[in-house]
Amino acid sequence: MTDTPPEQPRTAPANNRAWIRQAVDFGALVAFAGAYVFLRARGLDGREAMVQATWVLVGASAIALIVGYAVERRLAPLPLLAGGFALIFGGLTLFFHDPSLLKIKLSIQNGLLAAVLLGSLPLGKYPFKYLLGDSIKVTDQAWRGLTLRYGLYFATIAVANEIVWRTQSDDTWVAFRGIIWVAACVFGLLQIPYILKHMIKDEEPGPVSPDPGL
């Protein structure tokens, strides 16, 4: 819910760090969804259950940022963006007791990413290289292609989220959020052949998820 100086070749520990980051980000989503389902089972309506589950989301997002910093000794751009948005909109949701603020977060976050990525193309700039430059090392032509692909992906998610949260129930939106995470993983895997084709060196790309998280 992304240039820099040339990086050193990826190592096994770097791949491990990427997997840890993915697991932590996924854990925050699972914690939120689990809390929501539990509260619904306890008899809370969808609106109240989502507000209460947001406490879990805020806590899990803070933990994700801490773990990410502990693992990488820095706050990587995408996790920082996802965690920051989750903390800000989660806090607003709790303050105003309005779950629509949490729902619209996904639209704003992905819409902003889409605008930055797609808007950079006519300028010949590739901010996506900054976001993922430590994960993969490809030619500028590939960065342009990835920037376009991910820009369109983020725009699609933003539009889809607007349609779902404005027309469907809270239960459906929570399920949709889980589907989005799966779609992000699938989309990332589908980019691997393209990445391998344009690798500067013979490196194995790590897991790259376009979804910045809940």
Side-chain angles (χ1 to χ4, degrees):
M1 62 152 266
T2 262
D3 61 59
T4 55
E7 299 82 3
Q8 295 299 318
R10 291 181 58 88
T11 62
N15 278 307
N16 292 336
R17 290 195 296 269
W19 280 111
I20 291 173
R21 187 170 65 236
Q22 292 285 324
V24 170
D25 293 342
F26 180 59
L29 174 59
V30 170
F32 169 78
Y36 177 84
V37 172
F38 173 78
L39 292 168
R40 287 288 280 145
R42 293 290 299 272
L44 271 66
D45 61 32
R47 178 185 178 86
E48 184 63 25
M50 189 170 297
V51 170
Q52 295 304 318
T54 300
W55 286 103
V56 176
L57 172 64
V58 170
S61 297
I63 293 174
L65 287 175
I66 293 172
V67 172
Y69 181 80
V71 170
E72 300 192 27
R73 295 302 178 187
R74 71 186 183 93
L75 291 174
L78 276 178
L80 178 60
L81 176 68
F85 266 82
L87 291 175
I88 292 172
F89 282 85
L92 291 173
T93 297
L94 295 172
F95 183 80
F96 291 104
H97 210 79
D98 184 359
S100 64
L101 293 171
L102 183 63
K103 296 176 181 179
I104 201 174
K105 188 271 298 186
L106 195 63
S107 301
I108 295 176
Q109 180 177 313
N110 284 275
L112 177 61
L113 284 169
V116 170
L117 293 179
L118 296 177
S120 70
L121 290 175
L123 303 176
K125 303 294 184 179
Y126 312 120
F128 201 53
K129 182 178 181 179
Y130 170 69
L131 287 175
L132 293 177
D134 62 341
S135 298
I136 55 178
K137 196 172 183 181
V138 295
T139 63
D140 283 344
Q141 177 186 354
W143 282 122
R144 179 177 178 81
L146 289 171
T147 298
L148 175 61
R149 294 182 182 198
Y150 278 81
L152 293 175
Y153 169 85
F154 287 130
T156 301
I157 295 301
V159 172
N161 184 66
E162 280 297 295
I163 294 174
V164 172
W165 88 262
R166 292 181 184 277
T167 63
Q168 303 300 314
S169 67
D170 294 323
D171 292 350
T172 300
W173 184 82
V174 172
F176 167 76
R177 188 60 192 89
I179 293 172
I180 288 301
W181 190 88
V182 175
C185 293
V186 172
F187 184 84
L189 290 174
L190 291 176
Q191 307 315 306
I192 290 180
Y194 181 80
I195 293 172
L196 291 175
K197 181 179 177 180
H198 295 88
M199 275 286 189
I200 293 178
K201 294 183 178 180
D202 186 17
E203 301 172 352
E204 180 183 355
V208 178
S209 171
D211 183 10
L214 181 61

